[in-house]
Amino acid sequence: MAHDVHLPDSAYLSFWRERHICTLTTPRPDGSPHVVPVGATYDPEAGIARVITSGHSRKARNVLAAAAADPEGARVALCQLEGRRWATLEGRAFVRTEPELIADAERRYAERYQRTPRVNPDRVLIEIRLTRAMGNV
């Protein structure tokens, strides 16, 4: 079922506020999908999802490479599920290194997951500008 990225119904938004591990799918340089578990946050007002990670991670390098090849950004999917409930956010991703954006993403992560992320001087933000939302919640 499709959902409005900017105005999701209350059940969809509630599901994205619960504590769930997500999967992030990024394109490898050969085009094949790379899927890894991540913590993520969803900001429907801004139409953005955020994933914090090390700048040396494969997912960050995949996004960097794909965004370098396509100025619209890397095509990615962010998913979560629990039992029969599931939700997917799709969009265009970029790696952001601005300290204020990373600090905001860390704050949002801590709020959703009730824990402060460990200190990581190599941390970057994968910012996903959302184009599609779907799910069954």
Side-chain angles (χ1 to χ4, degrees), residues 69-119:
D70 185 342
E72 292 187 22
R75 295 180 67 120
V76 301
L78 184 64
C79 306
Q80 66 178 23
L81 66 109
E82 179 185 52
R84 301 182 99 188
R85 298 185 309 155
W86 64 272
T88 298
L89 298 169
E90 294 180 1
R92 297 291 191 145
F94 297 88
V95 172
R96 306 294 300 263
T97 59
E98 298 94 323
E100 66 277 7
L101 295 179
I102 294 169
D104 178 58
E106 290 170 335
R107 179 190 59 76
R108 291 170 186 272
Y109 176 97
E111 184 178 299
R112 181 177 189 196
Y113 292 99
Q114 283 91 54
R115 72 174 196 83
T116 302
R118 66 176 172 76
V119 174

Side-chain angles (χ1 to χ4, degrees), residues 9-132:
D9 64 47
S10 61
Y12 193 80
L13 184 56
S14 243
F15 188 53
W16 275 102
R17 288 185 173 153
E18 294 172 11
R19 187 180 190 281
H20 295 288
I21 297 299
C22 304
T23 61
L24 176 66
T25 304
T26 60
R28 290 186 180 104
D30 68 2
S32 64
H34 177 256
V35 184
V36 293
V38 296
T41 61
Y42 171 33
D43 180 355
E45 291 177 3
I48 292 173
R50 295 171 179 88
V51 174
I52 53 176
T53 188
S54 172
H56 303 291
S57 69
R58 169 52 57 198
K59 59 187 160 285
R61 289 181 293 155
N62 286 346
V63 169
L64 282 169
D70 185 342
E72 292 187 22
R75 295 180 67 120
V76 301
L78 184 64
C79 306
Q80 66 178 23
L81 66 109
E82 179 185 52
R84 301 182 99 188
R85 298 185 309 155
W86 64 272
T88 298
L89 298 169
E90 294 180 1
R92 297 291 191 145
F94 297 88
V95 172
R96 306 294 300 263
T97 59
E98 298 94 323
E100 66 277 7
L101 295 179
I102 294 169
D104 178 58
E106 290 170 335
R107 179 190 59 76
R108 291 170 186 272
Y109 176 97
E111 184 178 299
R112 181 177 189 196
Y113 292 99
Q114 283 91 54
R115 72 174 196 83
T116 302
R118 66 176 172 76
V119 174
N120 179 353
D122 296 322
R123 180 165 287 137
V124 297
L125 165 62
I126 297 176
E127 182 180 87
I128 306 165
R129 296 177 191 159
L130 301 171
T131 57
R132 182 180 293 163

